[in-house]
Amino acid sequence: MTTSSSSLLGERTAAAPPVRIVHLGLGAFHRSHQAWYTARAADAEQWGIAAYSGRRAALAEALSAQQGLYTLVVRSPDDDRAERIGSIVRAHGGSELDRFLADVAAPTTAIVSLTITEAAYSSAETDVDVPVLRSLGEGVEPTDAEPRTALGRLVVALEGRRRGGGGSLALVSCDNLPDNGGVLRAAVGSLADAVPGLGDWVEEHVSFVSSSVDRITPRLSDDETAELVDRYGDRAPVVAEPFSDWVIAGAFPAGRPQWETAGARFTDDLDPWEARKLWLLNGAHTLLASLGRLRGHLTVAEAIVDTECLRAVDAYWDEACRHLPVALGLAEYRAALLDRFRNPRIRHLLAQIGLDADTKMRVRIAPVAERERRAGRSAAACAAVVAAWLAVEGQGSDLPAVRLAVADLSAVLGADADFVEAVHRNRRQVGDLTLR
Ligand SMILES: NC(=O)c1ccc[n+]([C@@H]2O[C@H](COP(=O)([O-])OP(=O)(O)OC[C@H]3O[C@@H](n4cnc5c(N)ncnc54)[C@H](O)[C@@H]3O)[C@@H](O)[C@H]2O)c1
Ligand SMILES: O=P(O)(O)OC[C@@H](O)[C@@H](O)[C@H](O)[C@H](O)CO
């Protein structure tokens, strides 16, 4: 259903689809992407989502008051087109652990999907839950456990499914990480090993699906939200660009929606698509989040029309593209990205994109720089990105500090004196953002 204005929400007239997907990380992106694909799939009436926020309950409360229904505002440079999305049938705060355990344990649940941010997969975050998981092997019931992290909650819930005989299922990571299914497998596997027998059960019953996800979905300011609440009579609207892509690799032992009928693509070879998206789109966003802010810009659309930022993005893309298959249509992809970044009606804040920047630098900029250096080139554009990031973080005041920071991104680059020197040279030319 599409329209250009006024409320679409109304009430559900047909029965809500049965919950067969549990989502962890109810935020803007899940609603513009996976929930949208599920709602548009040919078998949408068979696939409902129970979505759990990571931390705050406010969005879940607003959605619950609307039977899970919400308005997706597809924002092009010229206009807004609104769609009513009905695939989320229940929304919960992250603290509703009993409900989450019951949903994951239900034999009817076939998929658990995640958008929990890149940082949420690191052991630095999840290790806090190892004692909680150990306690499950010492007689504590999953329903009495008190995990604190998203993956801790997920692993407690998998133990509940194992004990209840709920059978095989697929975990689908939709976070912007290379090999996100593999990263999830490693993180879940290492937590599951703390519970006797669970590691083996996970290996046998859990499929880790990787996916490359793409749809620019900015966090809305309070003013933007208020305007949309007024316009659509919806307390939980979400705004996204018209473009959308989802490339998926992996098995779904308990079935899945016909997402391909909504435009998703299934492949056995995700790597090139994933690298193209993460290096070119997210890498450029990561670059702009530093350089753009140093140059006084607030949003991607503002930064990309600054010739200095555009030049830096182009130079970084040249370096990245040397390590991507030409058959992926790189020139067209770059041109299309520039159009997407320039969309003046998408207010994508650089400060939002700059969160957890070290994690992102490690998996986006460092791999390109390493490949350039291995090929005998300077990686000058990557060195400039690293210097801009250090300036925003207020780090790298002298050569040893630069070396330390670069080594934290990549041991190989940290040991590369020429690269470290290039970063240091660039760093001396830019002042700290924090000092402005
Ligand atoms: N917004 C986009 O354009 C976009 C596009 C592609 C992929 N993604 C991926 O989706 C993720 C979420 O983006 P969003 O726009 O929905 O953000 P959001 O802030 O709207 O929602 C993020 C959700 O994750 C939860 N969360 C945050 N930090 C967490 C943590 N450490 N552990 C567990 N849960 C946590 C939050 O509580 C919230 O439920 C991104 O980090 C990215 O990996 C986003
Ligand atoms: O937090 P990040 O860096 O993974 O992502 C911020 C944006 O680059 C990202 O949300 C893009 O808009 C998205 O990946 C587009 O598909």
Side-chain angles (χ1 to χ4, degrees):
M1 186 192 299
T2 67
T3 186
S4 55
S5 68
S6 82
S7 176
L8 292 169
L9 276 188
E11 304 236 325
R12 287 186 192 272
T13 47
V19 169
R20 294 176 69 193
I21 301 175
V22 177
H23 183 77
L24 193 48
L26 170 62
F29 180 59
H30 172 64
R31 290 180 297 140
S32 76
H33 193 267
Q34 304 97 61
W36 178 78
Y37 279 95
T38 305
R40 289 170 71 105
D43 55 354
E45 76 292 345
Q46 295 173 39
W47 290 90
I49 303 172
Y52 290 77
S53 70
R55 291 168 174 159
R56 287 190 295 269
L59 175 59
E61 284 163 11
L63 279 169
S64 296
Q66 302 175 173
Q67 302 176 300
L69 299 170
Y70 62 93
T71 311
L72 171 67
V73 181
V74 179
R75 182 157 283 177
S76 74
D78 306 314
D79 63 9
D80 283 354
R81 202 169 42 82
E83 294 180 43
R84 182 179 94 156
I85 310 295
S87 53
I88 296 182
V89 301
R90 281 193 277 110
H92 303 281
S95 60
E96 292 184 54
L97 188 65
D98 283 356
R99 197 73 204 245
F100 178 67
L101 297 192
D103 276 338
V104 174
T108 41
T109 293
I111 296 169
V112 177
S113 54
L114 299 98
T115 50
I116 53 176
T117 79
E118 292 85 318
Y121 294 77
S122 84
S123 55
E125 163 116 359
T126 58
D127 275 356
V128 63
D129 278 331
V130 169
V132 175
L133 292 162
R134 283 211 189 100
S135 74
L136 297 181
E138 293 156 4
V140 171
E141 290 298 318
T143 43
D144 292 329
E146 292 182 358
R148 284 162 49 189
T149 69
L151 293 188
R153 266 184 268 149
L154 176 59
V155 174
V156 171
L158 290 175
E159 172 64 358
R161 187 173 175 98
R162 176 174 84 112
R163 292 184 188 188
S168 299
L169 83 172
L171 302 189
V172 185
S173 171
C174 298
D175 280 298
N176 284 326
L177 279 167
D179 184 25
N180 49 16
V183 172
L184 182 60
R185 177 194 294 276
V188 165
S190 107
L191 290 175
D193 282 341
V195 188
L198 183 60
D200 290 342
W201 184 88
V202 165
E203 262 187 36
E204 201 182 324
H205 291 89
V206 179
S207 164
F208 292 88
V209 175
S210 282
S211 77
S212 172
V213 290
D214 195 358
R215 186 167 215 176
I216 293 174
T217 309
R219 183 173 303 153
L220 298 175
S221 68
D222 290 348
D223 284 352
E224 285 170 310
T225 305
E227 195 267 316
L228 292 174
V229 168
D230 217 36
R231 197 193 310 171
Y232 296 110
D234 179 341
R235 286 173 58 203
V238 60
V239 168
E241 64 171 343
F243 179 91
S244 182
D245 194 20
W246 195 8
V247 195
I248 303 168
F252 290 84
R256 62 165 174 81
Q258 293 170 21
W259 284 320
E260 66 279 18
T261 60
R265 299 181 283 146
F266 287 82
T267 180
D268 292 329
D269 186 15
L270 185 63
D271 293 0
W273 300 107
E274 183 182 73
R276 184 183 77 164
K277 193 267 171 172
L278 289 176
W279 288 355
L280 300 188
L281 192 161
N282 297 106
H285 266 180
T286 302
L287 180 167
L288 292 170
S290 296
L291 186 62
R293 276 190 293 166
L294 287 173
R295 293 180 57 79
H297 304 301
L298 277 180
T299 66
V300 172
E302 277 174 24
I304 199 64
V305 297
D306 172 340
T307 49
E308 194 63 30
C309 290
L310 178 59
R311 192 201 54 73
V313 167
D314 253 332
Y316 162 71
W317 278 350
D318 286 345
E319 292 184 356
C321 283
R322 291 189 195 117
H323 308 282
L324 290 169
V326 180
L328 296 183
L330 300 175
E332 297 78 5
Y333 188 74
R334 282 167 66 156
L337 276 186
L338 284 180
D339 283 343
R340 293 170 64 192
F341 288 177
R342 286 188 192 118
N343 184 341
R345 301 183 64 248
I346 294 276
R347 196 166 175 278
H348 203 178
L349 290 177
L350 296 173
Q352 180 193 347
I353 295 169
L355 292 173
D356 302 320
D358 53 341
T359 306
K360 298 168 185 178
M361 293 289 296
R362 234 170 253 129
V363 296
R364 295 171 191 167
I365 309 301
V368 173
E370 286 172 5
R371 284 167 174 76
E372 279 294 87
R373 295 294 295 148
R374 261 202 310 277
R377 288 184 289 269
S378 68
C382 288
V385 182
V386 177
W389 164 69
L390 288 176
V392 165
E393 301 287 324
Q395 286 184 41
S397 49
D398 54 23
L399 188 61
V402 169
R403 185 177 302 112
L404 216 59
V406 173
D408 188 42
L409 295 183
S410 149
V412 174
L413 294 173
D416 179 338
D418 290 342
F419 184 76
V420 170
E421 177 49 42
V423 174
H424 183 230
R425 253 194 328 274
N426 281 284
R427 175 70 182 94
R428 281 201 315 248
Q429 287 163 18
V430 275
D432 291 1
L433 180 66
T434 47
L435 301 181
R436 280 160 193 250

